[in-house]
Amino acid sequence: AKAAGRNRILFFNYEMKEAFEKQHMMEQGLREAIKHNHFNLVYQPQFNLKTGRTESLEALLRWRHPEWGMISPAEFIPVAEESGYIKEIGDWVLETAIREIKSIHQEYVHISAVAINVSALQLREAYFVHRLKTLLKKYQVNPGLIEIEITESIFIEGGEEVLETLKEIRGMGISIALDDFGTGYSSLNYLRILPINRVKIDRSFVQKMENDTRVQAIIKSVIDLSHNLGFNIVAEGVETQKQLLLLKSMNADVIQGFYGSKPLNWTQLHEFLKEPQTL
Ligand code: C2E
Ligand code: CA
Ligand code: CA
Ligand code: CA
């Protein structure tokens, strides 16, 4: 038993060392990626359930490392947040999405919003609002074309200041969506205080809804609650027609998910928009 205990300790140390080295490697990789611009944005169409048409897109970050290949944002965003690189990366995302929505909207006027994911650290930067204003001016973009996606995690520290920043952003005419709704805590309180226009129901609910009446009841209630508060509802991660039909019967406003379209690179996006598919 003693030997096993000792081995376990060794094992843990080894795992920790591995994790540490992986983190360290990824941080170095991110530094290079920033320097050589190994990032790009892909855009996932969102479908209005009334018209069946795409009116908005979510910008999603992609990183292709020259040797490691594609790395999922679910993996590198947390490292970018811990190392502080998220500020530079987030700045790049903001500028690229604003520049690209300008060009998309000019060619396809019915695309009237791009949703941009913003992390807590970015929002807490003193210059964030100033930077937004500067970029909108630089690219002559109407603030109505921009939506900022936040999650409840932005409130873990410094909630008051973040709230002020969000109010300022709303005041500029930019819309704000609460992402991944239902996965965090104290959600009802956030619905009460946040200056949002939209709620995005997390895909973990949508993907369990087909055969689970309890999940259906939760989703229906979140939709009604959001509507009563004057918010739009986006259902994320819709993969099947059955999910789509259920969400439609429950009065959801917008769906996003592989059933409608996967996230598209620039070329694919133009092909999609030239001949927009309806649901
Ligand atoms: P998210 O904001 O919840 O984005 C939605 C994720 O769900 C995307 O993953 C998208 O590709 C995926 N998805 C969309 N439809 C479906 C579906 O029908 N089924 C399934 N299984 N998945 C679907 P992605 O692009 O890998 O991004 C993962 C997360 O990384 C995002 O989750 C977001 O939290 C973060 N992220 C992505 N881009 C950015 C960014 O520019 N800035 C920041 N701060 N975070 C980002
Ligand atoms: Ca999002
Ligand atoms: Ca989400
Ligand atoms: Ca998420």
XYZ file of all heavy atoms in Angstrom, residues 196-261:
521
model
N -28.996 43.668 -21.123
C -28.894 42.806 -22.307
C -30.122 42.927 -23.209
O -31.164 43.419 -22.789
C -28.734 41.313 -21.905
C -29.861 40.880 -20.951
C -27.387 41.077 -21.280
C -29.826 39.407 -20.601
N -29.969 42.490 -24.463
C -31.117 42.389 -25.365
C -31.444 40.951 -25.707
O -32.497 40.678 -26.259
C -30.884 43.018 -26.741
C -29.954 44.162 -26.763
O -28.838 44.080 -26.269
N -30.413 45.229 -27.338
N -30.456 40.059 -25.476
C -30.614 38.709 -25.960
C -30.131 37.694 -24.954
O -29.176 37.946 -24.221
C -29.743 38.506 -27.193
C -30.448 38.721 -28.475
C -29.524 38.298 -29.581
N -30.280 38.197 -30.807
C -29.803 37.720 -31.945
N -28.558 37.284 -31.997
N -30.555 37.661 -32.997
N -30.781 36.540 -24.964
C -30.328 35.428 -24.140
C -30.064 34.254 -25.072
O -30.878 33.947 -25.944
C -31.408 35.055 -23.099
C -31.049 33.763 -22.384
C -31.590 36.192 -22.092
N -28.899 33.633 -24.915
C -28.582 32.449 -25.709
C -28.676 31.206 -24.823
O -27.892 31.062 -23.881
C -27.181 32.568 -26.313
C -27.038 33.747 -27.275
C -25.689 33.747 -27.978
C -25.662 32.757 -29.137
N -24.381 32.850 -29.889
N -29.631 30.360 -25.133
C -29.795 29.132 -24.351
C -28.670 28.173 -24.709
O -28.448 27.866 -25.887
C -31.141 28.445 -24.649
C -32.294 29.392 -24.315
C -31.266 27.143 -23.871
C -33.649 28.790 -24.583
N -27.974 27.692 -23.708
C -26.813 26.842 -23.941
C -27.175 25.555 -24.681
O -28.239 24.990 -24.479
C -26.142 26.496 -22.617
C -24.773 25.893 -22.850
O -23.883 26.633 -23.293
O -24.611 24.667 -22.619
N -26.238 25.110 -25.499
C -26.531 23.941 -26.323
C -26.705 22.657 -25.507
O -27.320 21.698 -25.982
C -25.470 23.762 -27.405
C -24.127 23.283 -26.963
C -23.364 22.740 -28.182
N -22.108 22.153 -27.772
C -20.946 22.767 -27.883
N -20.876 23.976 -28.379
N -19.839 22.170 -27.489
N -26.193 22.640 -24.285
C -26.380 21.428 -23.473
C -27.868 21.181 -23.201
O -28.292 20.036 -23.063
C -25.599 21.550 -22.164
O -26.012 22.689 -21.446
N -28.674 22.238 -23.152
C -30.124 22.068 -22.987
C -30.762 21.610 -24.290
O -31.529 20.651 -24.324
C -30.776 23.380 -22.538
C -30.496 23.714 -21.104
C -29.437 24.532 -20.761
C -31.285 23.197 -20.092
C -29.158 24.821 -19.442
C -31.023 23.492 -18.768
C -29.948 24.306 -18.441
N -30.411 22.335 -25.354
C -31.009 22.041 -26.656
C -30.755 20.587 -27.037
O -31.644 19.890 -27.533
C -30.448 23.004 -27.729
C -30.911 22.609 -29.120
C -30.846 24.441 -27.412
N -29.545 20.131 -26.759
C -29.197 18.780 -27.195
C -29.845 17.687 -26.359
O -29.847 16.530 -26.745
C -27.668 18.646 -27.280
C -27.191 19.468 -28.496
C -25.693 19.514 -28.679
O -24.933 19.064 -27.831
N -25.269 20.087 -29.785
N -30.410 18.067 -25.218
C -31.097 17.062 -24.401
C -32.604 17.172 -24.527
O -33.336 16.449 -23.859
C -30.699 17.240 -22.933
C -29.299 16.758 -22.624
C -29.015 16.871 -21.126
C -27.524 16.965 -20.864
N -27.112 18.268 -20.318
N -33.102 18.079 -25.356
C -34.532 18.382 -25.289
C -35.440 17.350 -25.935
O -36.577 17.170 -25.513
C -34.816 19.782 -25.847
C -34.809 19.904 -27.344
S -35.021 21.637 -27.884
C -36.642 22.035 -27.268
N -34.937 16.643 -26.949
C -35.826 15.802 -27.739
C -36.615 14.787 -26.928
O -37.806 14.610 -27.139
C -35.038 15.105 -28.851
C -34.842 16.025 -30.037
C -34.072 15.373 -31.174
O -34.237 14.168 -31.419
O -33.281 16.100 -31.798
N -35.930 14.108 -26.020
C -36.618 13.041 -25.299
C -36.805 13.340 -23.824
O -37.031 12.431 -23.033
C -35.836 11.729 -25.448
C -35.639 11.391 -26.900
O -36.600 11.350 -27.668
N -34.390 11.187 -27.298
N -36.678 14.594 -23.461
C -36.727 14.920 -22.043
C -37.729 16.061 -21.824
O -37.444 17.218 -22.121
C -35.318 15.335 -21.583
C -35.198 15.435 -20.075
O -36.206 15.771 -19.425
O -34.090 15.196 -19.556
N -38.899 15.722 -21.311
C -39.955 16.738 -21.180
C -39.590 17.772 -20.128
O -40.048 18.907 -20.180
C -41.307 16.094 -20.820
O -41.100 15.227 -19.698
C -41.858 15.297 -21.984
N -38.757 17.373 -19.166
C -38.350 18.338 -18.158
C -37.464 19.424 -18.785
O -37.637 20.610 -18.515
C -37.589 17.623 -17.037
C -37.727 18.309 -15.707
C -36.888 17.646 -14.669
N -37.639 16.626 -13.942
C -37.388 16.279 -12.681
N -36.394 16.870 -12.025
N -38.075 15.350 -12.082
N -36.528 18.999 -19.633
C -35.678 19.964 -20.333
C -36.535 20.864 -21.231
O -36.325 22.080 -21.298
C -34.584 19.241 -21.163
C -33.811 20.229 -22.022
C -33.629 18.503 -20.233
N -37.518 20.263 -21.879
C -38.427 21.071 -22.720
C -39.122 22.145 -21.898
O -39.250 23.295 -22.323
C -39.471 20.179 -23.390
C -38.902 19.355 -24.531
C -39.901 18.358 -25.085
O -41.107 18.520 -24.943
N -39.383 17.300 -25.701
N -39.584 21.755 -20.713
C -40.282 22.716 -19.848
C -39.344 23.844 -19.422
O -39.743 25.012 -19.366
C -40.850 22.001 -18.627
N -38.088 23.489 -19.146
C -37.111 24.518 -18.753
C -36.894 25.496 -19.914
O -36.939 26.714 -19.738
C -35.767 23.880 -18.318
C -35.941 23.108 -17.002
C -34.682 24.953 -18.170
C -34.730 22.286 -16.592
N -36.687 24.951 -21.095
C -36.439 25.813 -22.262
C -37.637 26.715 -22.537
O -37.487 27.928 -22.733
C -36.091 24.964 -23.512
C -34.744 24.263 -23.295
C -36.053 25.837 -24.765
C -34.308 23.361 -24.427
N -38.818 26.113 -22.521
C -40.039 26.909 -22.757
C -40.151 28.043 -21.729
O -40.491 29.180 -22.065
C -41.258 25.976 -22.685
C -42.606 26.669 -22.763
C -42.918 27.153 -24.176
C -44.318 27.737 -24.289
N -44.273 29.147 -24.718
N -39.847 27.731 -20.495
C -39.947 28.747 -19.443
C -38.903 29.849 -19.621
O -39.196 31.020 -19.380
C -39.775 28.115 -18.057
O -40.711 27.079 -17.896
N -37.695 29.464 -20.015
C -36.649 30.468 -20.245
C -37.050 31.378 -21.413
O -36.842 32.592 -21.372
C -35.277 29.796 -20.514
C -34.256 30.819 -21.017
C -34.762 29.123 -19.253
N -37.659 30.788 -22.441
C -38.113 31.594 -23.584
C -39.187 32.584 -23.133
O -39.100 33.793 -23.403
C -38.648 30.686 -24.724
C -37.495 29.878 -25.329
C -39.338 31.531 -25.805
C -37.912 28.809 -26.331
N -40.180 32.098 -22.402
C -41.265 32.984 -21.945
C -40.736 34.064 -21.004
O -41.096 35.233 -21.119
C -42.363 32.167 -21.246
C -43.130 31.299 -22.238
O -43.023 31.566 -23.456
O -43.816 30.355 -21.809
N -39.883 33.627 -20.066
C -39.291 34.575 -19.120
C -38.530 35.678 -19.865
O -38.685 36.858 -19.594
C -38.355 33.810 -18.178
C -37.515 34.598 -17.181
C -38.402 35.334 -16.191
C -36.568 33.649 -16.431
N -37.704 35.268 -20.832
C -36.912 36.241 -21.591
C -37.821 37.192 -22.359
O -37.578 38.400 -22.382
C -35.980 35.518 -22.564
O -35.082 34.713 -21.847
N -38.855 36.645 -22.983
C -39.789 37.509 -23.726
C -40.487 38.496 -22.793
O -40.659 39.661 -23.130
C -40.811 36.657 -24.483
C -40.241 36.029 -25.715
N -40.821 34.957 -26.362
C -39.115 36.320 -26.419
C -40.094 34.630 -27.412
N -39.050 35.427 -27.464
N -40.868 38.013 -21.617
C -41.511 38.913 -20.654
C -40.593 40.049 -20.231
O -41.053 41.128 -19.863
C -41.972 38.146 -19.409
C -43.174 37.277 -19.703
O -43.916 37.537 -20.653
N -43.369 36.227 -18.910
N -39.286 39.783 -20.264
C -38.324 40.814 -19.900
C -37.917 41.662 -21.109
O -37.096 42.564 -20.996
C -37.078 40.161 -19.287
C -37.295 39.515 -17.904
C -36.151 38.559 -17.568
C -37.414 40.584 -16.826
N -38.469 41.326 -22.271
C -38.163 42.099 -23.483
C -36.911 41.643 -24.217
O -36.376 42.370 -25.049
N -36.426 40.434 -23.916
C -35.209 39.929 -24.567
C -35.569 38.964 -25.695
O -36.566 38.250 -25.623
C -34.313 39.166 -23.578
C -34.006 39.914 -22.314
C -33.847 39.222 -21.115
C -33.847 41.301 -22.306
C -33.550 39.903 -19.930
C -33.549 41.979 -21.130
C -33.402 41.274 -19.940
N -34.690 38.946 -26.695
C -34.735 37.941 -27.751
C -34.117 36.638 -27.279
O -33.251 36.665 -26.417
C -33.869 38.420 -28.907
C -34.693 39.002 -30.010
O -35.665 38.380 -30.435
N -34.320 40.179 -30.459
N -34.521 35.551 -27.914
C -33.953 34.256 -27.539
C -33.252 33.597 -28.728
O -33.829 33.466 -29.814
C -35.070 33.311 -27.039
C -35.362 33.554 -25.568
C -34.689 31.869 -27.234
C -34.357 32.903 -24.634
N -32.001 33.211 -28.510
C -31.263 32.419 -29.481
C -31.058 31.031 -28.880
O -30.602 30.925 -27.744
C -29.870 33.022 -29.785
C -29.145 32.212 -30.846
C -29.985 34.479 -30.206
N -31.410 30.000 -29.616
C -31.123 28.635 -29.163
C -29.862 28.155 -29.857
O -29.769 28.184 -31.085
C -32.292 27.716 -29.460
N -28.884 27.723 -29.065
C -27.584 27.314 -29.601
C -27.507 25.808 -29.804
O -28.173 25.061 -29.092
C -26.476 27.621 -28.590
C -26.249 29.049 -28.255
C -24.936 29.177 -27.501
O -24.838 28.746 -26.339
O -24.005 29.686 -28.107
N -26.660 25.399 -30.718
C -26.356 23.974 -30.858
C -27.507 23.143 -31.399
O -27.626 21.964 -31.085
N -28.340 23.756 -32.254
C -29.450 23.009 -32.862
C -28.885 22.106 -33.962
O -28.238 22.584 -34.893
C -30.506 23.975 -33.447
C -31.620 23.203 -34.137
C -31.053 24.868 -32.340
N -29.084 20.823 -33.805
C -28.503 19.862 -34.744
C -29.535 19.066 -35.530
O -29.198 18.423 -36.519
C -27.565 18.894 -34.002
C -26.304 19.575 -33.489
C -25.339 18.617 -32.796
O -25.684 17.439 -32.623
O -24.244 19.089 -32.428
N -30.785 19.042 -35.054
C -31.787 18.212 -35.740
C -33.045 19.013 -36.061
O -33.329 20.044 -35.445
C -32.216 17.015 -34.861
O -32.980 17.514 -33.747
C -31.023 16.232 -34.355
N -33.793 18.483 -37.016
C -35.042 19.131 -37.398
C -36.042 19.080 -36.253
O -36.833 19.998 -36.053
C -35.627 18.472 -38.639
C -36.782 19.287 -39.192
C -37.422 18.644 -40.403
O -37.481 17.423 -40.517
N -37.906 19.464 -41.319
N -35.986 17.988 -35.498
C -36.923 17.867 -34.385
C -36.688 18.962 -33.339
O -37.633 19.569 -32.834
C -36.785 16.470 -33.745
C -37.896 16.171 -32.782
C -38.024 14.690 -32.448
C -39.075 14.519 -31.356
N -38.800 13.342 -30.503
N -35.416 19.221 -33.048
C -35.087 20.313 -32.114
C -35.599 21.642 -32.672
O -36.211 22.431 -31.955
C -33.568 20.398 -31.904
C -32.993 19.240 -31.095
C -31.483 19.113 -31.253
O -30.839 19.835 -32.012
N -30.899 18.154 -30.529
N -35.364 21.847 -33.955
C -35.817 23.083 -34.600
C -37.324 23.258 -34.460
O -37.814 24.331 -34.078
C -35.430 23.050 -36.080
C -36.109 24.119 -36.948
C -35.427 25.452 -36.772
C -36.123 23.725 -38.402
N -38.074 22.196 -34.758
C -39.536 22.295 -34.712
C -40.035 22.536 -33.295
O -40.948 23.338 -33.073
C -40.173 21.039 -35.319
C -39.943 20.886 -36.829
C -40.460 19.539 -37.329
C -40.560 22.048 -37.604
N -39.424 21.858 -32.344
C -39.790 22.075 -30.940
C -39.553 23.531 -30.542
O -40.415 24.177 -29.933
C -38.980 21.159 -30.031
C -39.474 19.707 -29.883
C -38.415 18.848 -29.195
C -40.784 19.673 -29.081
N -38.381 24.050 -30.909
C -38.026 25.427 -30.538
C -38.952 26.437 -31.204
O -39.330 27.435 -30.607
C -36.569 25.702 -30.906
C -35.556 24.975 -30.009
C -34.198 24.877 -30.689
C -35.440 25.691 -28.663
N -39.342 26.128 -32.439
C -40.257 26.988 -33.159
C -41.615 27.007 -32.461
O -42.217 28.068 -32.262
C -40.405 26.461 -34.588
C -40.783 27.511 -35.585
C -40.657 26.949 -37.000
C -41.097 28.008 -38.001
N -40.830 27.548 -39.371
N -42.079 25.823 -32.053
C -43.379 25.745 -31.373
C -43.342 26.458 -30.028
O -44.359 26.868 -29.497
C -43.796 24.282 -31.195
O -43.031 23.694 -30.154
N -42.141 26.603 -29.475
C -41.998 27.290 -28.189
C -41.727 28.778 -28.354
O -41.462 29.470 -27.376
C -40.838 26.682 -27.394
C -41.082 25.262 -26.949
S -39.582 24.648 -26.155
C -40.106 22.975 -25.809
N -41.730 29.248 -29.616
C -41.575 30.681 -29.867
C -40.167 31.232 -29.720
O -40.002 32.441 -29.481
C -42.476 31.489 -28.935
C -43.674 32.008 -29.685
O -43.575 32.272 -30.884
N -44.783 32.118 -28.981
N -39.149 30.384 -29.860
C -37.775 30.909 -29.872
C -37.646 31.845 -31.072
O -38.383 31.706 -32.049
C -36.771 29.773 -29.971
N -36.746 32.823 -31.000
C -36.639 33.801 -32.082
C -35.620 33.401 -33.143
O -35.844 33.598 -34.331
C -36.240 35.170 -31.498
C -37.249 35.643 -30.479
O -38.386 35.940 -30.890
O -36.924 35.669 -29.273
N -34.496 32.882 -32.678
C -33.362 32.636 -33.568
C -32.736 31.293 -33.212
O -32.687 30.925 -32.035
C -32.304 33.769 -33.404
C -31.038 33.478 -34.169
C -32.881 35.120 -33.831
N -32.279 30.554 -34.212
C -31.500 29.354 -33.907
C -30.123 29.426 -34.562
O -29.916 30.070 -35.590
C -32.182 28.032 -34.337
C -32.345 27.979 -35.854
C -33.499 27.805 -33.612
C -31.940 26.644 -36.416
N -29.204 28.738 -33.891
C -27.831 28.659 -34.365
C -27.409 27.225 -34.129
O -27.706 26.659 -33.081
C -26.971 29.626 -33.546
C -25.527 29.726 -33.980
C -24.734 30.711 -33.114
O -25.300 31.538 -32.406
N -23.416 30.593 -33.170
N -26.738 26.620 -35.084
C -26.300 25.238 -34.874
C -26.033 24.542 -36.194
O -26.334 25.076 -37.258
N -25.443 23.353 -36.093
C -25.038 22.622 -37.289
C -26.219 22.323 -38.205
O -26.052 22.153 -39.401
C -24.321 21.322 -36.902
C -23.019 21.548 -36.153
C -22.404 20.493 -35.476
C -22.406 22.794 -36.137
C -21.213 20.682 -34.791
C -21.201 22.997 -35.451
C -20.607 21.936 -34.771
N -27.440 22.237 -37.653
C -28.598 21.998 -38.516
C -28.755 23.128 -39.536
O -29.064 22.872 -40.699
C -29.890 21.868 -37.691
C -31.091 21.567 -38.565
C -31.328 20.279 -39.042
C -31.959 22.587 -38.958
C -32.400 20.012 -39.873
C -33.030 22.329 -39.790
C -33.250 21.044 -40.247
O -34.309 20.782 -41.074
N -28.561 24.344 -39.093
C -28.636 25.496 -40.003
C -27.370 25.610 -40.822
O -27.401 25.596 -42.052
N -26.250 25.712 -40.142
C -24.947 25.786 -40.797
C -23.828 25.655 -39.773
O -23.960 26.112 -38.647
C -24.792 27.127 -41.527
O -23.449 27.297 -41.947
